[in-house]
Amino acid sequence: MKLKVAIQGIQGSNHHQVAHDFFGENIELVECLSFDRMIDHLLTGNADKGVMAIENSIAGSIIPNYNLVYHNNIHIIGEHYLSIHHNLMVLKGQAIEDIKEVHSHPMALLQCKEFFKGHPHIKLVEDVDTAETAKRIQEQKLSHIAAIAPKVAAKLYDLDVIASDIQTIKNNATRFIVLKKVNKVLPKEEINKASLRFITDHKRGSLATVLNVMSDCNMNLTKIQSLPVIETPWKYAFFVDVTFDEYAHFAKAKSLLDIMSEDFRVLGEYKNALLS
């Protein structure tokens, strides 16, 4: 049986590309038009694994996704970095002068704002997905409307690319996390990265003390993101990523952080990926 992989978006999207890069071609896509729906498929068993964008080198963190992983007790079992290329595509025969609106995911629109400053006649319209918009343009024969999507979407849905690599910053990458209901799919000797979540006391130096513990245990902090604890005003949870050379060092840090912080949880233990 094929591995069922839930993605945000449809065939031709960046999530689709990451699913193939990480798991190979022999997979069955479970297409979802929201991250919440993707999590639902994991929780109900309709999907074996999930792929979720978590941060972009230009736009920063996708903050709601941190809470989605935490509150649904989903585990991070891997990560993948993807270089992002945004392309403007239309029905065959259309030119950029014919375009009145461009529809795409809000993140894609944000990353291409400078390009559209040179085309003030085009209205930017937020949509649920990049590839889904491209598919709709072809199915409904929507003239005067363009999509921002990966080039594979133009090939899949028979559209013309009228402008390539329109992202403002060409060195643009997104980090994706790979999700599962159960953690620890790798042996300890292959694990060299972890994602953690904890709350510190609302006292001076509390966070610094925790970070010092990580440093003393030979942890390298690669990411820290604070989010408010909704149930308790002015209290914050911290989501952090750490890398390490030896699992024993991480095990020691875990035992100390469990004592020193509130609501400590390991969200995932996995292998550190490199930007390709």
Side-chain angles (χ1 to χ4, degrees):
M1 293 179 63
K2 288 186 176 181
L3 184 74
K4 291 184 178 180
V5 181
I7 62 169
Q8 189 275 321
I10 66 170
Q11 189 176 15
S13 64
N14 286 319
H15 279 80
H16 174 206
Q17 181 65 56
V18 171
H20 274 176
D21 289 347
F22 196 89
F23 295 110
E25 297 292 323
N26 191 32
I27 60 174
E28 179 183 336
L29 285 182
V30 179
E31 300 174 341
C32 312
L33 291 183
S34 72
F35 288 115
D36 294 81
R37 187 64 182 141
M38 191 204 74
I39 293 295
D40 287 342
H41 280 296
L42 285 175
L43 293 174
T44 58
N46 291 331
D48 304 306
K49 309 284 176 63
V51 171
M52 172 187 279
I54 196 69
E55 61 178 311
N56 177 263
S57 59
I58 298 173
S61 299
I62 305 174
I63 291 176
N65 286 354
Y66 286 90
N67 274 331
L68 270 179
V69 172
Y70 170 73
H71 286 296
N72 290 285
N73 201 26
I74 296 294
H75 298 278
I76 303 169
I77 62 166
E79 65 177 359
H80 186 80
Y81 291 89
L82 182 70
S83 293
I84 303 298
H85 301 276
H86 291 308
N87 306 279
L88 194 66
M89 54 194 67
V90 295
L91 281 177
K92 289 188 177 298
Q94 297 260 293
I96 198 163
E97 293 77 19
D98 303 318
I99 303 307
K100 296 179 181 178
E101 296 181 359
V102 58
H103 294 214
S104 196
H105 190 277
M107 192 71 76
L109 294 173
L110 177 66
Q111 294 170 12
C112 301
K113 284 180 68 176
E114 288 300 315
F115 174 84
F116 290 106
K117 285 183 180 179
H119 304 280
H121 68 287
I122 297 178
K123 180 182 178 182
L124 305 183
V125 180
E126 294 186 357
D127 217 321
V128 292
D129 182 53
T130 53
E132 195 277 335
T133 303
K135 181 180 180 182
R136 190 173 353 114
I137 288 173
Q138 180 55 244
E139 288 182 343
Q140 300 180 20
K141 304 302 179 187
L142 299 176
S143 57
H144 309 298
I145 294 180
I148 301 172
K151 280 188 177 178
V152 65
K155 183 177 181 181
L156 281 170
Y157 304 119
D158 197 29
L159 300 179
D160 279 346
V161 174
I162 57 174
S164 299
D165 284 324
I166 64 172
Q167 64 272 11
T168 302
I169 300 175
K170 303 308 177 186
N171 187 18
N172 178 12
T174 294
R175 177 180 174 239
F176 295 79
I177 50 177
V178 181
L179 305 173
K180 189 182 178 186
K181 281 183 69 175
V182 180
N183 201 0
K184 297 180 183 175
V185 297
L186 293 174
K188 288 182 179 180
E189 56 268 20
E190 292 185 26
I191 296 171
N192 58 6
K193 189 169 184 177
S195 295
L196 316 172
R197 188 262 193 194
F198 57 84
I199 298 171
T200 60
D201 289 334
H202 197 54
K203 298 177 182 178
R204 184 176 62 186
S206 294
L207 177 60
T209 301
V210 169
L211 296 181
N212 283 334
V213 167
M214 293 182 185
S215 178
D216 292 342
C217 292
N218 299 309
M219 302 289 102
N220 178 36
L221 184 69
T222 61
K223 174 75 177 180
I224 183 166
Q225 178 73 53
S226 65
L227 290 180
V229 178
I230 297 174
E231 302 84 1
T232 310
W234 312 117
K235 199 164 192 177
Y236 292 87
F238 294 92
F239 293 81
V240 303
D241 294 332
V242 293
T243 59
F244 43 89
D245 293 328
E246 295 182 27
Y247 190 89
H249 293 159
F250 173 60
K252 179 181 178 181
K254 280 195 297 184
S255 62
L256 291 172
L257 292 174
D258 193 29
I259 298 170
M260 298 177 61
S261 63
E262 299 177 39
D263 199 20
F264 174 75
R265 187 188 302 176
V266 177
L267 302 178
E269 302 176 5
Y270 48 98
K271 191 172 183 178
N272 188 20
L274 299 175
L275 177 60
S276 57

